Each structure stands twice: as structure tokens, then as C-alpha cells.
Amino acid sequence: MSGSSPSVCADAGAHAEPAVIELAHGSGGRLTHALIDEIFRPAFGAAPEDLTHDGATLALEAGSERLAFTTDSYVVRPLFFPGGDIGSLSIHGTVNDLAMCGAEPRYLSVGLVIEEGLRIDVLRSVIASMRAAASASAVRIVTGDTKVVERGKGDGLYVNTTGVGVVRARSPIGPQQVQPGDAVILSGDVGRHGMAILALREGIRFETEIVSDCAPLAAQALGMIDADIEIHCLRDLTRGGLATNLIEIAEIAGATIALDEGAIPISDVVRGACEILGLDPLYVANEGRFAAIVPTEHASAALAHLRRFDSQAAIIGHVDRGAGHARVLLRTLGGTRELDMLNGEQFPRIC
Amino acid sequence: MSGSSPSVCADAGAHAEPAVIELAHGSGGRLTHALIDEIFRPAFGAAPEDLTHDGATLALEAGSERLAFTTDSYVVRPLFFPGGDIGSLSIHGTVNDLAMCGAEPRYLSVGLVIEEGLRIDVLRSVIASMRAAASASAVRIVTGDTKVVERGKGDGLYVNTTGVGVVRARSPIGPQQVQPGDAVILSGDVGRHGMAILALREGIRFETEIVSDCAPLAAQALGMIDADIEIHCLRDLTRGGLATNLIEIAEIAGATIALDEGAIPISDVVRGACEILGLDPLYVANEGRFAAIVPTEHASAALAHLRRFDSQAAIIGHVDRGAGHARVLLRTLGGTRELDMLNGEQFPRIC
């Protein structure tokens, strides 16, 4: 599996066995994109952006308000981690996807797939966490569904949440709107969610515990709209981290995004943990961080707004015309390198 | 676990071990209701009907059209069965839940949890089936999400679909609207979906293959609204079958529903299979059948409408005041018996 555009089943011929789903198909990297491009998009006839953006926006009737609609399944392992659990993650994650559409989150559905044998007190605890998270974002959980599968056919609990919001942005927000000259603003330090999960799962202890950044982002994002800050694109930096998400945006926008490595906030403990484990923090999943891409004349207002929520918010780069090259470049002390979308799986079941 | 209102964790004291989720918690019967009543409803603050009806109806802004919103996860085993597969089931099922809210289905999200090792050709086949089913109901799949879990942590493929529709019914539809005197109309014969799955899973062959009734119901249901037929309640007869779903309605309505056993259409092959396996067809899941509860003066128009789709549609009973007893009575040749909601699991993973 090499090159920048692997096929979803490139290995089939070599093995003379049916191609199968690999863990990397769920990583958010190249294989996830291959699935979307080769199987989902041709079948569902979706526009290029519909299935790669955080959600869809819909008009139900001519002249009515536009809706945002987004879904995510959560399979994080273990169910509880420093800074959150599958309950809070599943609410914040879907609220954040709505916010990234410039929409005010309103209603959520919850679908549970429970493995036989899950302790009822564990379920109660997850549900209490969902309640608190929904309340923090003023969204209502209005419908739900529960299925139970036999022991060994699940892993405790899988959660799907799907959200409906009302679009508040006055102009479209999405990778297509990104323009040369735009500033790229990061809302806080990156890498904490993925490293919190990984440290817990691998039993690695650091002097300072790594706590997930799992949090709702609607107030940060919608506050920019309220403050009349023009926004071209918003993206929460979940699976695949900062790098993968910006590469997706660059590819859809057909632009080069140039980042300044020194401007990207990463905590010492995350940086240290990544070094020990041989991981690049720019590819590690976040659950409470986003990138805002805004016209340069709105950059300082946007930064000031985001710093009210997190003092580490920073302008980390800008969009270049890039002679038609869709890519993300990272300027480091030693020079400039291009960030690639990962082909394989950095680590599974982070969200 | 006896009596009509088991606790979600009634066994905890006896075993001195933490109460755990059992397969029956996913059956749609008493234990599912106990989960909803004891854990989900107190946490989410939902109105009594919100979490037991097929979906929620929402008003986004004052004066705007009302939306219907519903979610279901599908864990059917095996993935392919006579008359359908997890792909068609997951589209028809959610389309039908919207239709049961009196809403025109518009948009769906799809969330996949795939087990590592699923064959890509199997996935392609399921997705093609979803496409065909969505097309048949003129709904658009507009957003999606894919997660992959390790071998042994899933069972091939679990699907969540969540749907948004526009409410077309001019007056509320739901169990609360049910009135004494209303007629109960069944849209076709019952028991085929569950028996098709069970026969396949148990390797039982009958002279005539049992084919699932899995099908979209929006045209039947919305056609009644278009024809100005007044509707009090619509309910598709999925998990728990005709009996469990009517008991739910009777309990919310605080009414007695009296059914005439002889009027309920059941095919010979389903009846025979149920006898062999010791099952009651009234509790077997359907995926393309619904009950319409309508004022008696609209019953013949409703029946005529439904017979255009299925000649077996029939008036099977009516709603009595029942002296405040919320229950379902079945008049048989031998007398009258009360139908109970099942405490245990008839068979798991039927949808």
C-alpha cells in the first residue's frame, strides 16, 4: 500500500483472496478516503464535500432556515479516560461537528449498541455523562435506540449520536471557501486526546497525567459569527489530528497551507510522550480543538476571540496560492517539509 | 424476573454481583422499557412519549414546518436474508419510523461500525442495497461516518441510520391521540421478517421459503394523510411484533385495545413455522407492516387505501374505554385473553 492514493482493495490481486476491511480504513487517513471515494460517494451520489466535511447542510423548504445534520459513531477504548468518557465524547463530538458547520446545535439522537454483560452501573455513568455534556451545550437528546449484541460481539458499548442544528453562519463555511491569503488559527494546544487514550491503554505513566481536551466548541465557533468575524472554514481536529484535517481542506480547496511549526502549541507532556512512542503530535486526535481559516483582515479579531477561551490559541499559518499544489507545508527550524496523509493506522479506536 | 414491571437491575441483590445488560434489554419488551424508564428518561428529561415513540417531532423556529427526527441501529444477523439485507433494512426501517410520525422522509445519515476483516465485496453489496432502498423512498443519504473495530469486537457490520423528515400530518399522531371507538387497521400479514431471519439462522427449511416483509411504508402512511383520512396513531410493528407495539400504545393511551384473532392475517408458512418453534406470531418482528389507529368513521376509507398496497390489510380490532385498564385483549374462538409484554428475549438481533 504505497503512493498517495491507495485503492480501497489494492491488495486483492496479490493475495488472491477477497480484500477485507483493515483497521486503517477507520483511521481517517488515506484508506478512509479511499472507502468514501470508491464505495460511498458513487453509491450515494454525494457532492465531493458532503461526505468529507463534518456534516451536511440542508434546506427543507424554500426560504426556511438551513439545517446542519451530522453523525458520528464512537467506539473509543477504554470507555473512561482522563478528561472524559464515551458519553461526554459522543455528545461533544457531534455538537462540535454542528458548530464546525456554523450551526447552533439543537437536537441529538442517541443510538446504543451494548454488549451483553455490560454492567448497568457503567451504563448509568455513561448516560449521566451524556446528560451533563448535553446540558453544557444546551442541546436536547430527543430520540434514541438501544440494541444488545451477544458477549464477544461488541466491546462493552458503542454509541452513535446524530445532531441537528440551525445554521447561523450568514455565508457558506467549508473547505471550498478557503482563499489564498487566509490565516489559519488554531484554538489551543494539540495532541492531548489521542495521547491520553494511548497512555492509558498502554499503561504508560508520565509525571503529569495527560488529560483529554474533550470539550464543546460551539461557544468558541458561534461567538465568531456573532462578532461578525468572517469565517471561510472551521474544522475540528479529530481523527488524523491537525495534519490530516488540514490536508483534507487543502485538497478540496486546491490550495497550499503553509504552517509554522514553532507557532503550533503542544504541551511538554504531549511532546515528550510522542517522542517516547515515536508519534507525530500533528497527527494525534483532538476532541476539543479546531482550526479556523479566516480572511487575513479578520485574523486578529478571530485570534482575540479565541484567546478568551484558551490563551494558547494562535495563528499557525496561512493559505498560499501554491501554484495549484494542494498540500500542507510545515516550516521548521531546519527547512520546509510537506505533511502527508497517513496511509496506515496510527492507533485505532481513539474516538 | 417476574411481574409486569421488572427493574432494569432486579437481580443485583440476589447475586451480590453488579447487574449487567442482558440480551433481553434489547428485545423491545419489558426490560427495554425498564432501561428507558429507569435510566434514559430520568437522565434526558424526555417526555413520556419521546423515547418510546418511533421518533421525535421538533419545531426549529416559531412558525416553521415541524421536523421528525428518528434513529435506529441495526445489528441483524446474518447480514443477508431472504427479502433483504442489513442495508435495505437500515434504510427502510428509519424511513418507516419517519412515516410513522406522519412525516415525509427527506434526509438520512449513515454510521457504520465495521469489524476488521469484513470483505470489501460484502460492504459494497450492502452499500448498493442502501442506495437502492434510499432511491425507492426518495430520501438522500447526506452525511456519514465509518469506524473500524478489531476482529472479535464486532460482528461484521453494525449500521446506524438517523433520519430527518418534514411532518405532513395536520394534527398530532401518536399514542396519546388514541380514542375509545377508534379502529385498529393492520397493513398486511404479520410475522414474516422475524421468521425469515430465524429460519435462516437455525437452518430450518420449509416447503415455501419465508421471505422478509422488509419494505418502505411511507407511501402507504402518507397517502392516508393526502386522502384526508384522520389518523390518531401509526406504528410499525418491528421488535416485539404486533402484540408488544399495541401494548405500548395501550399503556400510553390508557385504553384497552380489543383484537379479533381471526381477523389478523398470518401466512400459513409463518403460522406453521411458529408452531414448530413454539413462537407466537403476534410477537414476531415485522419490517414492512404497520398498525393505523383511526376514528371509526375513517376506518373504511383507511382500509380501502391500505388494500391498494396489500390486499391482506384488515381491520383487526378497536379501542375500548376499558374501565381505565391499559391492556390488549385478544378475542379467540375459545374466549378472550390478555396479551402480555414479554419479559425475556424471544430472539435477539432480528433487526
Side-chain angles (χ1 to χ4, degrees):
Chain A
M1 201 71 70
S2 68
S4 63
S5 293
S7 162
V8 72
C9 53
D11 291 343
H15 293 288
E17 276 178 18
V20 299
I21 292 289
E22 304 167 26
L23 283 172
H25 281 107
S27 69
R30 285 280 168 222
L31 278 179
T32 306
H33 283 76
L35 266 190
I36 293 171
D37 290 339
E38 292 177 35
I39 299 184
F40 302 147
R41 186 168 295 136
F44 300 147
E49 66 279 14
D50 274 4
L51 295 173
T52 46
H53 195 46
D54 288 313
T57 58
L58 319 169
L60 286 172
E61 308 287 355
S64 75
E65 67 275 356
R66 286 184 72 79
L67 296 186
F69 184 43
T70 186
T71 192
D72 255 318
S73 297
Y74 298 86
V75 299
V76 66
R77 182 170 57 87
L79 298 177
F80 299 85
F81 50 83
D85 59 47
I86 193 170
S88 56
L89 180 65
S90 68
I91 302 297
H92 295 326
T94 294
V95 159
N96 291 349
D97 283 344
L98 291 172
M100 296 300 110
C101 297
E104 185 183 311
R106 288 287 187 87
Y107 299 104
L108 295 182
S109 65
V110 173
L112 304 178
V113 176
I114 310 179
E115 186 187 10
E116 180 189 12
L118 181 74
R119 283 168 49 172
I120 301 270
D121 59 340
V122 168
L123 179 64
R124 280 188 195 276
S125 177
V126 168
I127 297 294
S129 176
M130 296 182 89
R131 176 197 187 141
S135 173
S137 290
V139 291
R140 283 185 55 206
I141 295 169
V142 289
T143 192
D145 176 58
T146 303
K147 295 292 190 301
V148 180
V149 296
E150 305 90 335
R151 268 173 221 272
K153 299 296 185 188
D155 197 10
L157 178 63
Y158 299 144
V159 178
N160 175 282
T161 54
T162 302
V164 171
V166 175
V167 175
R168 290 255 301 273
R170 284 169 291 272
S171 52
I173 289 180
Q176 299 85 352
Q177 313 307 320
V178 168
Q179 303 286 335
D182 284 356
V184 180
I185 310 180
L186 176 60
S187 70
D189 66 317
V190 294
R192 290 212 270 122
H193 177 72
M195 294 316 294
I197 298 285
L198 202 62
L200 180 63
R201 218 147 72 186
E202 304 298 322
I204 305 166
R205 293 196 174 210
F206 301 99
E207 252 179 72
T208 312
E209 183 183 50
I210 304 178
V211 176
S212 168
D213 58 310
C214 185
L217 296 171
Q220 278 106 304
L222 299 177
M224 295 170 73
I225 295 169
D226 291 341
D228 282 324
I229 295 166
E230 192 177 329
I231 300 168
H232 285 163
C233 188
L234 297 171
R235 177 65 66 104
D236 56 343
L237 305 170
T238 54
R239 274 189 294 185
L242 176 69
T244 306
N245 281 284
L246 290 184
I247 293 167
E248 273 185 25
I249 292 169
E251 289 184 351
I252 296 172
T256 292
I257 296 176
L259 301 179
D260 177 2
E261 188 181 43
I264 300 170
I266 301 169
S267 69
D268 288 342
V269 62
V270 164
R271 195 182 296 280
C274 282
E275 274 172 19
I276 290 167
L277 296 166
L279 297 169
D280 183 338
L282 301 187
Y283 290 86
V284 174
N286 311 278
E287 289 292 342
R289 297 290 179 262
F290 69 105
I293 303 186
V294 306
T296 185
E297 62 272 26
H298 288 265
S300 60
L303 180 63
H305 170 79
L306 292 177
R307 284 203 167 151
R308 287 170 39 209
F309 295 88
D310 188 327
S311 62
Q312 294 193 85
I315 297 175
I316 61 167
H318 65 279
V319 181
D320 274 342
R321 199 167 301 275
H325 289 299
R327 58 186 178 180
V328 176
L329 299 178
L330 186 71
R331 275 190 293 251
T332 67
L333 284 178
T336 296
R337 66 181 173 95
E338 184 176 342
L339 298 180
D340 288 322
M341 204 177 278
L342 299 184
N343 284 335
E345 176 60 282
Q346 196 175 33
F347 33 83
R349 308 224 4 225
I350 216 73
C351 62
Chain B
M1 200 72 72
S2 68
S4 64
S5 292
S7 163
V8 73
C9 53
D11 291 344
H15 292 288
E17 275 180 17
V20 300
I21 291 289
E22 304 167 26
L23 283 172
H25 282 107
S27 69
R30 285 279 169 224
L31 279 179
T32 307
H33 283 76
L35 265 190
I36 292 171
D37 290 338
E38 292 176 34
I39 299 185
F40 302 147
R41 184 168 295 134
F44 300 148
E49 67 279 14
D50 274 4
L51 295 173
T52 47
H53 195 46
D54 288 313
T57 58
L58 319 169
L60 286 171
E61 308 287 355
S64 75
E65 67 276 356
R66 286 185 71 80
L67 295 186
F69 184 43
T70 186
T71 192
D72 255 318
S73 297
Y74 298 87
V75 299
V76 65
R77 179 170 59 86
L79 298 179
F80 300 85
F81 50 83
D85 59 47
I86 193 170
S88 57
L89 179 65
S90 68
I91 302 298
H92 294 326
T94 294
V95 159
N96 291 350
D97 283 344
L98 292 171
M100 296 301 110
C101 297
E104 184 183 311
R106 289 288 187 84
Y107 298 104
L108 296 182
S109 65
V110 173
L112 305 177
V113 175
I114 309 178
E115 186 187 10
E116 180 188 15
L118 180 75
R119 282 169 50 173
I120 300 271
D121 59 340
V122 168
L123 180 64
R124 280 187 195 277
S125 179
V126 168
I127 296 294
S129 177
M130 297 183 88
R131 176 199 187 139
S135 173
S137 289
V139 290
R140 284 184 56 206
I141 295 168
V142 290
T143 192
D145 175 58
T146 303
K147 294 293 190 299
V148 180
V149 296
E150 304 90 335
R151 269 174 220 272
K153 300 295 184 187
D155 197 9
L157 178 62
Y158 299 143
V159 178
N160 175 283
T161 55
T162 302
V164 171
V166 176
V167 176
R168 291 255 300 274
R170 283 170 292 272
S171 51
I173 289 181
Q176 299 84 352
Q177 313 306 321
V178 168
Q179 303 286 336
D182 285 355
V184 180
I185 310 179
L186 177 60
S187 71
D189 66 315
V190 294
R192 289 212 271 121
H193 177 73
M195 295 315 295
I197 298 284
L198 202 62
L200 180 63
R201 219 148 69 185
E202 304 297 322
I204 305 165
R205 293 198 172 207
F206 301 98
E207 252 181 72
T208 311
E209 183 183 49
I210 304 178
V211 176
S212 168
D213 58 309
C214 184
L217 296 171
Q220 279 107 302
L222 299 178
M224 295 171 73
I225 295 169
D226 291 341
D228 282 324
I229 295 166
E230 192 178 327
I231 301 167
H232 285 163
C233 187
L234 298 170
R235 178 65 66 104
D236 56 344
L237 305 170
T238 55
R239 275 189 293 186
L242 176 68
T244 306
N245 282 283
L246 290 185
I247 294 167
E248 272 185 26
I249 292 170
E251 290 185 351
I252 296 172
T256 292
I257 296 177
L259 301 179
D260 176 3
E261 188 181 42
I264 300 171
I266 300 169
S267 70
D268 289 343
V269 62
V270 165
R271 195 181 296 280
C274 281
E275 275 171 18
I276 291 169
L277 295 168
L279 296 169
D280 183 339
L282 301 187
Y283 290 86
V284 174
N286 311 278
E287 289 293 341
R289 297 291 179 260
F290 70 104
I293 303 186
V294 307
T296 185
E297 63 272 25
H298 288 265
S300 61
L303 180 64
H305 170 78
L306 293 176
R307 284 204 167 151
R308 287 169 40 208
F309 295 89
D310 189 327
S311 62
Q312 294 192 85
I315 297 176
I316 60 166
H318 65 280
V319 180
D320 274 343
R321 200 168 300 275
H325 288 298
R327 58 187 177 178
V328 176
L329 299 177
L330 186 70
R331 277 189 292 249
T332 68
L333 286 178
T336 296
R337 66 180 172 96
E338 184 175 343
L339 298 179
D340 288 322
M341 204 178 279
L342 300 183
N343 283 336
E345 175 61 282
Q346 196 175 37
F347 33 83
R349 311 240 341 241
I350 215 73
C351 62

